[in-house]
Amino acid sequence: MSETYQHDVLIIGSGAAGLTAALTLPHHLKIAVLSKGKLADGSTPWAQGGVAAVLDISDSIESHVQDTLVAGAGLCHEEAVRFTVENSQAAINWLIEQGVPFTRNPADETGQQQFAYHLTREGGHSHRRIIHVADATGAAVFNALSSKAKERENIQLLEHQTAVDLITDKKLNRQGNRCLGAYVLNAQTNQVDTHAARFVILATGGAARVYLYSSNPDGASGDGIAMAWRAGCRVGNLEFNQFHPTCLYHPKAKNFLITEALRGEGAILKLPNGERFMKRFDERLELAPRDIVARAIDHEMKRLGLDHVYLDISHKSADFIKEHFPTVYERCLFFGIDITSQPIPVVPAAHYTCGGVVINQHGCTDVEGLYAIGETSFTGLHGANRMASNSLLECFVYARSAAEHISQQLDKIKQPNFLPNWDASLVTDSDEDIVISHNWNELRHFMWDYVGIVRTNKRLIRAQHRVKLLLSEIDEFYSNYRVSRDLLELRNLVLVADLIIQSAMQRKESRGLHYNLDYPNCSAVAKETILQPDY
C-alpha cells in the first residue's frame, strides 16, 4: 500500500546543496531528505578539486568576481557573482564548523604559518583560492554534512526514493500554482507514496548523463530540471554543458575524473609523441578555462585520429604527487598507471550542467513554495562557462540563502490540504523493459555525436528529430506501465535533452561552452536563452 507523509520541508536530493539546506533550516522543522539510491550515490562525493573562496590576504573579492566574469564569456549575472563571492568566506567558516577537515599548510622553517589552510589554483583563477581536502574534497564534505544530518532528530534521511513528479495546485485544478509536495517511488515497497510539504527544495544535481561519456554518476539524469519544467518553471542557458577536459581513458575505468588541480600544480597536456599543444590555443596554456582546454583536446584528437591525449605530472617529485593527489594516484595505479613516472591518458567528458531552473537570489523558482539549488538551478553565476570550483561554493551559498528565506515564510504557510494518492489503477507491469535500455543508449549516443563539444546546425536538427521520437515513445510507455527508477530517469533525461537542443538551436553564435561551426563568431551582444513552458 502506498503511504502519505507530511513534512515542513521536503528536500529532493542528498548532495552538498540538499544537506546544507537541511542543516541550515531551523531545528524545530520536520525535514525529509530524499536520495534515489544510497545517501552517498550523488555527485558530491565524486568532487575532487575543492571550493573557490576569497581567503588569502593577497586575494580579493573583486579579483574572484572578475575571474568569474571573464570565464563566463559575458553571460554571468554580475549581481549573482558578487553575492556568491561575498558570501564565500562565511560558507567556508560554516563548513569548518561542520567538521570538514580542509588540508592545512605545513609550518615554515620558523614554525610559523601565514595561512592555516592550503590553497591551490585551478583554470581561470588568477590566485590560489581553492580550499580543499587533498584531492577528495567532495567526499570529505559529504561525510561531514551527512554525519551532522544523522545527528539531527528533525532530519529524516530517506534512501532509495525516486521522485516521480511535483504536486502543484495547477495540476490538481486548484487556484494558484503553489508546490504542495511530490509523488515518490519507494524502491523498497515498489509503491508511489505521497509526500506533502509546506516547502519543496530541488537539489537533484545536473544532467550530464545525457551524454555517452560523463564524469558523473548514473543518477545525474536532470530530474529536478524536468520536474520543475513540467510544474511550470522557466529554464535558462541549458545549451552550456561543460565538458571536463581530463577524464581517465581506460577500458575498465568508469567515469573517473582527473582533477583540474593537477594542472594547477603544473601538469602538462601532451600528444603521444610528447609534444605540448596548448600553446597553439591559449596563452594561459593548461590553465585556460575548461571550455578552451576541452575544445583543444577535442581538436587534436580529431586532427590526429587519437583515442586520447596525455596529462603528465611525472616531472614533480613522487612525494609531492602522493601527498597532494592520493586519490588520483591510487586510482590510476589500480589500472596500471603510475603517475609519478607515467603520463595519464585522458579524454574530455560531460561534467557539469551550467544552465537549469531559473531562480532568484533566495533559490525561489517561478512556482510558489518551490526552490532549486545547486547544479539543478540557473543562478547566473556561471554564464557561458563555469569556472573551476565555483560550483560547490554555489551549492553552499544558495542553499543557506534558500533556508533563510524559508525560515522567514514559516508563519505564513500552512500544511497543504488533502492531496490525492498516486493513481496506478490503469497501468500494468511491463514485459518490454528492453525499450528503456535501448532508448537510453540511443539518447546518449546521438547527444554525444550531435550536441557535444562542437556542434553544427545539421547535427542539431538530426538530434531534434530523434529526441521528438523518443519523447513520444517514452510518453506512451509511461502512460501504460508501472513506473520504475530507470523509466523515470529516462523520461526526465529525454525531456532535458529536448530542452538542451532547443536552447542550442536558438543560439546563433559560438560563446563559452557552446561552439557551433556554422556560427563560429561571438555576437557583440550577449543574450541568455530562457525557455518558458506552454502552460
Side-chain angles (χ1 to χ4, degrees), residues 182-438:
Y183 291 116
V184 179
L185 174 64
N186 184 336
Q188 295 163 330
T189 64
N190 205 32
Q191 298 291 327
V192 176
D193 297 326
T194 304
H195 288 256
R198 297 161 70 189
F199 303 90
V200 177
I201 300 177
L202 296 172
T204 57
R209 292 305 295 179
V210 75
Y211 289 102
L212 182 61
Y213 302 110
S214 170
S215 66
N216 286 203
D218 290 340
S221 49
D223 301 333
I225 299 172
M227 287 190 292
W229 174 265
R230 290 193 293 264
C233 296
R234 291 170 298 157
V235 297
N237 283 9
L238 281 174
E239 69 270 36
F240 297 113
N241 302 280
Q242 186 172 71
F243 291 80
H244 196 287
T246 55
C247 282
L248 177 63
Y249 179 84
H250 190 280
K252 294 184 179 180
K254 183 180 180 181
N255 314 329
F256 186 69
L257 179 150
I258 305 298
T259 174
E260 189 161 332
L262 262 81
R263 285 179 281 133
E265 296 295 343
I268 297 167
L269 285 164
K270 296 179 177 179
L271 298 175
N273 63 4
E275 177 191 352
R276 295 185 70 173
F277 59 87
M278 279 306 303
K279 61 186 177 183
R280 297 200 298 273
F281 297 92
D282 195 282
E283 62 183 12
R284 291 166 289 186
L285 305 176
E286 282 78 11
L287 286 176
R290 289 178 176 176
D291 60 322
I292 295 173
V293 179
R295 277 201 303 274
I297 295 173
D298 183 69
H299 175 85
E300 293 300 298
M301 288 172 57
K302 289 176 177 174
R303 181 175 71 87
L304 298 172
L306 304 174
D307 291 326
H308 58 82
V309 296
Y310 289 98
L311 182 67
D312 192 359
I313 198 171
S314 63
H315 52 279
K316 293 281 190 177
S317 72
D319 288 343
F320 176 89
I321 293 170
K322 293 176 184 179
E323 177 185 354
H324 284 79
F325 307 109
T327 305
V328 174
Y329 172 75
E330 292 292 341
R331 188 64 173 166
C332 288
L333 199 62
F334 177 81
F335 291 110
I337 304 164
D338 184 351
I339 69 173
T340 65
S341 59
Q342 297 172 273
I344 309 167
V346 294
V347 292
H351 182 57
Y352 192 86
T353 307
C354 286
V357 183
V358 175
I359 64 168
N360 65 11
Q361 189 172 293
H362 304 297
C364 302
T365 70
D366 295 329
V367 174
E368 288 183 56
L370 179 65
Y371 295 74
I373 53 177
E375 194 175 351
T376 303
S377 68
F378 167 57
T379 64
L381 171 64
H382 306 304
N385 180 32
R386 177 182 74 97
M387 192 166 68
S389 292
N390 270 351
S391 52
L392 276 176
L393 176 62
E394 181 185 45
C395 285
F396 306 127
V397 170
Y398 278 86
R400 283 157 56 84
S401 181
E404 182 180 348
H405 190 263
I406 289 173
S407 300
Q408 296 169 353
Q409 312 298 313
L410 292 175
D411 295 337
K412 306 174 187 176
I413 307 301
K414 298 179 180 180
Q415 282 286 358
N417 292 328
F418 171 78
L419 301 182
N421 289 331
W422 180 258
D423 184 5
S425 60
L426 299 179
V427 297
T428 60
D429 291 319
S430 168
D431 59 356
E432 296 183 347
D433 281 357
I434 187 64
V435 173
I436 298 175
S437 60
H438 175 80

Side-chain angles (χ1 to χ4, degrees), residues 90-108:
I92 297 302
N93 290 339
W94 181 80
L95 289 170
I96 293 170
E97 291 173 3
Q98 306 311 305
V100 178
F102 290 114
T103 298
R104 291 179 173 268
N105 267 326
D108 61 22

